[in-house]
Amino acid sequence: MYTNASLKEIRATYAQHLVPQLVTAVVIIDDDLNIQYLNSSAEALFSKSLNRLYQQRFLSIFTHCSISTERLIQVLKTGQDFTDSDVVLEFIENYHITIEVTASVALFNDKEHILLECKQIDKQKQISAEVFQEQQWEAARDLIRGLAHEIKNPLGGLRGAAQLLDKELNPDQQEFTSMIIEQADRLTNLVDRLLGPNQLPRLEMHNIHEVLEKVRQLVSMDNVNQIEILRDYDPSIPDIEIDTEKLQQSLLNIIRNATQILDESGVITLKTRIATNQTINGKQVKLAVKISIIDNGPGIPAEIQDTIFYPMVSGRDDGTGLGLSIAQTLVHQHKGKLSCHSYPGRTEFTILLPLPKRV
Ligand SMILES: Nc1ncnc2c1ncn2[C@@H]1O[C@H](COP(=O)(O)OP(=O)(O)O)[C@@H](O)[C@H]1O
Ligand SMILES: [Mg+2]
């Protein structure tokens, strides 16, 4: 039997030793949202020690965190905890991790604090989510293509019949047949775009910077908003097998979206790097070329972030929602991956193209 005193002591001893050892990253922040404590898992997760982070504003240690200040304050105000299994933390430009967070109120020294329990979502899970997304995208694309095919065939017959009829009619009735022909042509045009690129790529060894420079020239020609286009190239990137026209089209589709949304203070950065140990469509790739198109615009609306690569998903009233779907198909034809990471103030599209193993 434990006496009350010894039980208290035991609890205190365990509590003291337990938290530092937990695999779960534990963070305690005060009501000003300043860090008061991190256990060693949290130090490892953020790659910084408690010594450095003590009394720092929690959200200031990231370049971006998908949990807002308001959401944390809400926990203190209402006492209601929350769990979010898809929190993105960005530390430095380009390096981000996804974690699951539970935030709740905890009392320390008679003051209310927020206790954050964080777990990094494991890589395997992230890869399967990526593969799942990929399958969804393919299913949506195939569905649209199937439909487009079904519409295209009778459309040809319809147009042909209207043309024949046109010859039989007197001029004041031909107005109607030409209307049928005109609308059939309009629909054929749309359907062709829905069908997407249908030719196989012609792969040849090229330097990707040639393609990027061409795209930059094309974009600067109708750059009405005087958007600044910066280059940050890694000249050591070797030549790679690409279809220059298709890659150019893909890049144009991505950059045009940015130029459409940016104003005079807009900056687009074209960046190239070699990336190592990437997963491309579920496969591990040792070496890849990474092309990033980064803009400082308002970001992709949250409600379409997960589906922007689907055909017909658009955030603009006059958009067709086909640009990114086509860009994705073209990158796929290069066995590459097109992905996106966006929040207000920074949107980055990344094209990863696998590089063959060096011999
Ligand atoms: N750089 C960007 N910044 C903000 N939103 C973007 C960006 N790129 C794409 N989007 C969003 O993604 C949507 C889909 O783009 P896209 O497939 O090219 O179709 P469309 O341009 O016809 O709308 C756009 O309508 C826009 O809402
Ligand atoms: Mg577009």
Side-chain angles (χ1 to χ4, degrees):
M1 275 279 281
Y2 295 123
T3 62
N4 268 351
S6 65
L7 193 59
K8 205 171 169 189
E9 214 169 275
I10 287 166
R11 274 204 181 122
T13 317
Y14 276 110
Q16 201 180 353
H17 294 290
L18 199 63
V19 180
Q21 289 194 28
L22 288 178
V23 176
T24 305
V26 175
V27 184
I28 294 162
I29 52 184
D30 65 11
D31 52 359
D32 286 326
L33 307 188
N34 293 330
I35 295 177
Q36 299 302 311
Y37 174 75
L38 301 175
N39 70 351
S40 44
S41 294
E43 290 181 319
L45 188 69
F46 304 148
S47 308
K48 283 198 182 108
S49 66
L50 174 59
N51 250 344
R52 276 194 62 185
L53 294 183
Y54 179 65
Q55 288 294 12
Q56 298 251 353
R57 267 181 91 78
F58 175 63
L59 292 175
S60 75
I61 67 175
F62 314 108
T63 46
H64 174 68
C65 167
S66 58
I67 307 180
S68 62
T69 312
E70 294 74 43
R71 201 151 168 223
L72 290 173
I73 289 172
Q74 202 64 18
V75 174
L76 283 174
K77 267 194 191 153
T78 61
Q80 259 177 0
D81 53 347
F82 73 79
T83 298
D84 188 331
S85 58
D86 192 19
V87 175
V88 179
L89 302 178
E90 189 180 82
F91 295 92
I92 40 171
E93 209 174 86
N94 246 335
Y95 176 67
H96 53 263
I97 57 171
T98 310
I99 60 167
E100 182 179 277
V101 178
T102 302
S104 54
V105 179
L107 270 184
F108 294 104
N109 305 328
D110 293 329
K111 271 182 76 180
E112 287 188 338
H113 289 67
I114 303 175
L115 167 66
L116 298 174
E117 295 163 68
C118 321
K119 251 191 193 158
Q120 186 160 7
I121 293 177
D122 86 68
K123 220 168 170 184
Q124 201 50 47
K125 227 167 146 184
Q126 226 170 335
I127 292 172
S128 22
E130 224 178 87
V131 172
F132 178 71
Q133 271 272 339
E134 189 69 30
Q135 287 165 345
Q136 292 273 331
W137 172 76
E138 274 175 15
R141 189 198 53 185
D142 290 348
L143 178 73
I144 299 255
R145 273 198 189 154
L147 258 173
H149 249 298
E150 290 303 317
I151 296 171
K152 193 174 165 150
N153 292 336
L155 211 54
L158 192 82
R159 190 186 193 280
Q163 260 175 329
L164 287 176
L165 191 63
D166 190 70
K167 292 197 183 111
E168 306 293 320
L169 298 178
N170 43 33
D172 59 332
Q173 290 169 316
Q174 280 175 341
E175 187 191 328
F176 302 113
T177 43
S178 46
M179 196 188 280
I180 297 176
I181 294 170
E182 197 181 293
Q183 294 301 320
D185 285 346
R186 212 173 67 92
L187 209 53
T188 308
N189 192 310
L190 171 70
V191 161
D192 279 339
R193 279 189 295 146
L194 286 178
L195 281 168
N198 57 359
Q199 281 153 354
L200 287 175
R202 285 208 312 266
L203 301 176
E204 280 168 20
M205 292 300 266
H206 278 286
N207 191 300
I208 48 158
H209 299 122
E210 281 169 26
V211 185
L212 281 162
E213 280 302 284
K214 184 80 201 280
V215 168
R216 201 175 64 89
Q217 267 177 6
L218 286 171
V219 173
S220 23
M221 274 194 270
D222 61 348
N223 188 356
V224 272
N225 281 341
Q226 301 284 311
I227 295 156
E228 197 173 354
I229 302 177
L230 301 177
R231 287 172 289 178
D232 178 4
Y233 296 158
D234 173 354
S236 74
I237 293 176
D239 286 4
I240 175 174
E241 276 206 316
I242 43 173
D243 181 325
T244 46
E245 297 230 331
K246 286 182 186 264
L247 190 63
Q248 183 180 314
Q249 182 65 51
S250 182
L251 286 163
L252 271 177
N253 286 6
I254 298 167
I255 298 173
R256 288 253 152 82
N257 283 335
T259 55
Q260 275 161 352
I261 216 153
L262 293 173
D263 55 21
E264 307 79 53
S265 57
V267 181
I268 298 176
T269 309
L270 306 176
K271 184 169 156 185
T272 59
R273 290 291 184 269
I274 293 277
T276 49
N277 295 325
Q278 302 289 314
T279 52
I280 298 187
N281 311 328
K283 281 199 208 93
Q284 274 285 332
V285 174
K286 279 240 166 331
L287 270 183
V289 175
K290 181 172 170 182
I291 307 171
S292 310
I293 300 102
I294 307 157
D295 72 65
N296 62 347
I300 293 166
E303 62 281 10
I304 59 167
Q305 276 217 7
D306 290 338
T307 51
I308 43 159
F309 294 115
Y310 286 28
M312 315 215 71
V313 171
S314 174
R316 299 185 289 119
D317 289 342
D318 56 347
T320 59
L322 292 176
L324 289 177
S325 164
I326 291 172
Q328 179 71 282
T329 306
L330 294 171
V331 171
H332 265 241
Q333 291 188 333
H334 288 83
K335 300 200 166 37
K337 174 167 94 173
L338 170 60
S339 55
C340 172
H341 177 58
S342 172
Y343 53 86
R346 191 171 194 279
T347 297
E348 172 168 359
F349 281 86
T350 310
I351 298 179
L352 275 176
L353 300 172
L355 263 177
K357 281 193 201 96
R358 284 193 184 139
V359 270

